[in-house]
């Protein structure tokens, strides 16, 4: 009985389908296969992904297959990540010859495009017709643009002025962008800001994994007591000469910050520096502030030294050695300037230092700040050398810096766990800064959203018009704007915002192929962090520890020193860039 019913149902379906085919395609009429391919680009010649493509014949949408071997019939499809599309549609020959074929292309925040394809444009091969259409979409500030811009600015304000924890602020902004897309954007495509797939693609995992790997390495190494021991050796080398001590501590801080997280460096050095300063009878701030300035300067020298550099290197495809070769000399000059500047500002404080019994204090430091685990330190330094070797030899192995960092971190972490030198949960919970990693991920989604809706294109066009296509003006503009902005707001979201803008300017301004605009952005974002107490995380951490120990400095008191030195270092960077690029 069931078989009979099934046969009957199938029979009716077949008759229905046969009737539909007869209705749409007259008997004996030949079907033509239309092959339409092309790319959709914006006015910056950048690919536009997820743009909706529709074919209409005499105003009625055609169903087609996606690609030559597609199996699902669709009335529309979306462009790929590179802006390309390929559709195949079958139409009756007579309807095609007499009808009007139109391609509709739509994406929110762009002006819709309708292209009529004339029969003469097709290349004919039997029943197959081929045509290639490349389309330029122009930006349009629709609802998605204004909503994303407002959300982005509000998130930026919350982050920069610490009105809300930066991770929470970034998460809130990213979640709002996606929520609007999948609520209002479903009702009206003009409210579509960013899709979930595009949001995930916007997260630069090279940055995330590099940060995670370096956090694990530093987390294991700091348990050996190496940072405190280096502070003791600095005092021993200075032999009571306070200015020389400042130079040694600042140099050590700069070198360490070039390869390890400068926040961790300052976190471990600050208590020792305070103790040494008090034993000399001087304010700890006269040593701590030069160390802060040195940490931000030193971190500029390498790809892994500061988060803005990590982001720039990953986005622009710049290598570890390119950063060292192009930024290292500027950093060295700025460090020399820092030594003279510290002597000028704090010379009288250094002269007032009381050095009663240098040898006794050295003996005390030797006992208090010893290497606690020489074996773990030796293994850690060997692995760190291997990691840096892979950073340097990127041109040979083509290994991403994140892979090298994770490789080293996994080796060191495994050794420390097997030998029971560290506790698994303690490293995972305390040394991997999950809030920082999440902040970066949500921040990438925020920036990806305003990039999708056209805000960054608008800013890039404005900068280009302001510079009038001059490489010199653009270099100075990016350097100084980055420095001033980074002094007052978090340089990480600022750098993330500037990445697509700098990339566009590097393509359209003659002479920018030397990467000079990327170096200007890196120098401005990193050097600018010295301008105020809130300019960089290392500043906040160090001065917070000093305040807890009873040595507070006011915002403008710090600014009188930090902002002036920032101007000096940025001026040095500006002269360097203009001379050599």
């Amino acid at each position: 009985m069931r078989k009979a019913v099934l046969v009957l149902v199938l029979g009716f379906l077949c008759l229905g389908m046969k009737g539909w085919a007869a209705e749409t395609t007259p008997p004996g009429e030949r079907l033509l296969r239309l092959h339409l391919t092309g790319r959709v680009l914006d006015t910056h010649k950048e690919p536009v992904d997820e743009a909706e493509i529709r074919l209409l014949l005499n105003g009625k949408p055609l169903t087609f297959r996606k690609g030559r071997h597609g199996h699902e019939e669709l009335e529309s499809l979306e462009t790929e990540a590179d802006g390309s599309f390929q559709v195949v549609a079958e139409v009756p020959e007579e309807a095609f010859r007499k009808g009007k074929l139109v391609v509709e292309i739509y994406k929110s925040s762009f002006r819709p495009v309708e292209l009529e394809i004339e029969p003469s444009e097709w290349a004919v091969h039997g029943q197959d017709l081929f045509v290639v259409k490349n389309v330029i979409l122009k930006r349009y500030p629709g609802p998605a643009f204004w909503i994303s811009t407002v959300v982005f600015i509000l998130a930026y304000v919350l982050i920069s002025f610490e009105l809300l924890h930066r991770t929470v602020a970034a998460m809130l902004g990213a979640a709002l962008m996606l929520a609007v897309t999948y609520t209002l954007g479903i009702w009206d495509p003009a409210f579509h800001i960013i899709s979930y797939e595009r949001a995930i693609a916007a997260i630069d995992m090279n940055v995330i994994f590099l940060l995670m790997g370096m956090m694990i390495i530093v987390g294991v190494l700091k348990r050996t007591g190496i940072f405190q021991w280096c502070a003791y050796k600095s005092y021993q080398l200075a032999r009571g000469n306070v200015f020389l001590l400042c130079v040694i501590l600042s140099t050590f801080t700069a070198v360490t910050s070039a390869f390890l997280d400068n926040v961790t460096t300052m976190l471990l050095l600050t208590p020792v520096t305070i103790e040494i300063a008090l034993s000399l009878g001087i304010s700890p701030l006269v040593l701590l502030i030069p160390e802060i300035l040195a940490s931000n300067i030193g971190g500029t020298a390498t790809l892994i030294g500061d988060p803005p550099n990590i982001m720039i290197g990953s986005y622009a495809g710049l290598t570890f050695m390119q950063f060292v070769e192009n930024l290292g000399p500027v950093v060295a000059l700025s460090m020399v300037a820092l030594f003279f500047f510290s002597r000028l500002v704090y010379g009288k404080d250094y002269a007032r230092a009381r050095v009663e019994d240098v040898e006794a204090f050295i003996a005390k430091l030797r006992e208090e700040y010893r290497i606690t685990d020489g074996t773990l330190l030796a293994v850690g330094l060997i692995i760190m050398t291997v990691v840096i070797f892979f950073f340097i030899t990127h041109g040979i192995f083509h290994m991403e810096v994140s892979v090298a960092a994770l490789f080293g971190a996994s080796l060191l972490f495994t050794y420390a766990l097997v030998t029971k030198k560290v506790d698994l949960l303690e490293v995972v919970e305390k040394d991997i800064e999950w809030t920082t990693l999440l902040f970066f991920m949500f921040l990438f989604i925020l920036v990806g959203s305003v990039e999708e809706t056209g805000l960054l294109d608008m800013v890039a066009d404005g900068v280009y018009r302001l510079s009038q296509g001059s490489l010199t003006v653009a270099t100075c503009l990016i350097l100084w704007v980055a420095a001033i902005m980074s002094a007052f707001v978090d340089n990480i979201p600022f750098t993330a915002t500037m990445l697509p803008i700098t990339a566009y300017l590097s393509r359209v301004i003659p002479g920018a192929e030397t990467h000079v605009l990327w170096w200007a952005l890196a120098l401005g974002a990193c050097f600018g962090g010295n301008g105020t107490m809130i300019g960089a995380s290392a500043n906040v951490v160090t001065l917070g520890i000093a305040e807890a120990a009873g040595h507070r400095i006011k915002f403008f008191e710090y600014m009188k020193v930090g902002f002036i030195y920032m101007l000096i270092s940025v001026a040095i960077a500006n002269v360097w860039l203009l001379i050599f690029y």
Side-chain angles (χ1 to χ4, degrees), residues 204 303 343 361 416 535:
D204 192 336
L303 185 152
R343 183 64 180 264
F361 189 62

Side-chain angles (χ1 to χ4, degrees), residues 511-532:
E513 58 274 3
T514 59
H515 305 306
V516 60
L517 298 182
W518 292 116
W519 307 137
L521 177 60
L523 289 167
C526 297
F527 282 13
N530 281 327
T532 66

Side-chain angles (χ1 to χ4, degrees), residues 63-77:
T63 59
F64 49 79
R65 292 179 285 116
K66 182 180 178 181
R68 181 181 295 275
H69 303 293
H71 299 292
E72 183 181 0
E73 288 196 344
L74 307 167
E75 284 193 359
S76 67
L77 60 78

Side-chain angles (χ1 to χ4, degrees), residues 339-392:
F339 301 148
F340 285 104
F341 181 76
S342 300
R343 183 64 180 264
L344 181 66
V345 175
Y346 296 119
K348 293 181 180 178
D349 295 279
Y350 298 151
R352 285 197 297 267
R354 300 189 311 272
V355 184
E356 297 174 356
D357 192 341
V358 175
E359 294 300 331
F361 189 62
I362 289 175
K364 177 178 178 293
L365 290 178
R366 184 188 300 115
E367 184 64 27
E368 189 173 352
Y369 298 113
R370 294 181 298 177
I371 300 295
T372 57
D373 195 326
T375 305
L376 181 60
L377 176 60
V379 173
L381 291 179
I382 291 171
I383 290 175
M384 191 64 193
T385 302
V386 173
V387 171
I388 294 173
F389 169 76
F390 282 128
F391 288 161
I392 294 172

Side-chain angles (χ1 to χ4, degrees), residues 179-243:
V180 169
T181 296
Y182 287 101
T183 53
L184 297 177
I186 299 298
W187 168 66
D188 184 349
F191 288 89
H192 181 100
I193 297 174
I194 187 170
S195 67
Y196 174 78
E197 292 76 18
R198 180 67 185 85
I200 296 301
I203 300 173
D204 192 336
M205 294 308 297
N206 193 42
V207 172
I208 303 300
F209 285 145
L210 174 58
L211 287 171
M212 180 184 292
M214 297 308 295
M215 286 173 183
I216 293 172
I217 291 173
V218 172
V220 175
L221 282 179
K222 76 179 185 182
R223 287 167 168 77
T224 65
I226 180 64
F227 295 97
Q228 295 88 338
W229 180 83
C230 288
Y232 140 67
K233 293 301 288 184
S234 299
Y235 184 82
Q236 187 181 43
L237 289 171
R239 309 295 300 180
N241 185 325
V242 184
F243 172 66

Side-chain angles (χ1 to χ4, degrees), residues 142-204:
F145 170 86
W146 293 111
I147 292 173
S148 64
T149 300
V150 170
V151 171
F152 180 76
I153 292 173
L154 289 176
Y156 210 109
V157 169
L158 292 174
I159 293 168
S160 300
F161 296 99
E162 299 181 349
L163 301 176
L164 193 63
H165 191 284
R166 64 181 189 173
T167 303
V168 178
M171 179 175 68
L172 179 62
L176 280 173
M177 300 286 196
L178 289 165
V180 169
T181 296
Y182 287 101
T183 53
L184 297 177
I186 299 298
W187 168 66
D188 184 349
F191 288 89
H192 181 100
I193 297 174
I194 187 170
S195 67
Y196 174 78
E197 292 76 18
R198 180 67 185 85
I200 296 301
I203 300 173
D204 192 336

